[in-house]
Amino acid sequence: MNTRAKGSGGETAAYNYLIKHGYTPVCQNYRGGGYEIDLIVKQGQTVVFVEVKLRKSNLIGSGREAVTVKKQAHIIRAAEAWAAENECFDVPMRFDVIEINLAAKTICHIKNAFGIN
């Protein structure tokens, strides 16, 4: 299985997890500002931008460690583009990370993983 197919499987698992926990889907694989956001969902009135990280194990590091400051900046740029397209600057927004560990068969949802400084 190629990397893109694995990533897509991880996004599907994260999407299903979020739906099961009461989130409303908005968009998947949004591209804007030259960058991509894996999932955009709503929790109540809050728009949540979600980065999904799939790992076979934690031997080379956790998924959250892969969401570097540079990656965060890219996600924030894409979120700003989405907000501009949807005229949603006055709604609450946050940035989450979902780690999926295949070896441990776990999903870890990190709410407010990072923010705009």
Side-chain angles (χ1 to χ4, degrees):
M1 184 181 294
N2 68 32
T3 304
R4 181 67 194 139
K6 287 178 189 173
S8 180
E11 289 171 10
T12 299
Y15 175 86
N16 291 335
Y17 170 89
L18 290 167
I19 297 298
K20 181 180 175 184
H21 286 86
Y23 290 76
T24 304
V26 174
C27 184
Q28 189 169 356
N29 299 116
Y30 170 79
R31 291 187 180 277
Y35 302 102
E36 181 183 12
I37 298 173
D38 294 331
L39 301 171
I40 303 173
V41 296
K42 283 182 117 180
Q43 182 182 37
Q45 295 301 310
T46 302
V47 176
V48 184
F49 302 97
V50 182
E51 177 67 11
V52 179
K53 290 298 179 187
L54 178 73
R55 295 287 182 262
K56 289 181 186 176
S57 71
N58 283 340
L59 291 176
I60 60 167
S62 68
R64 73 186 80 187
E65 292 171 329
V67 186
T68 63
V69 172
K70 183 176 179 179
K71 178 68 174 174
Q72 292 172 23
H74 293 174
I75 296 166
I76 290 167
R77 271 202 181 138
E80 289 169 341
W82 182 88
E85 284 178 19
N86 293 277
E87 298 179 2
C88 290
F89 287 109
D90 294 335
V91 299
M93 298 181 189
R94 74 170 197 250
F95 298 91
D96 292 2
V97 173
I98 291 186
E99 295 178 330
I100 300 173
N101 184 310
L102 296 175
K105 297 181 182 172
T106 59
I107 294 178
C108 180
H109 183 186
I110 306 159
K111 297 178 183 177
N112 287 312
F114 59 92
I116 299 172
N117 295 329

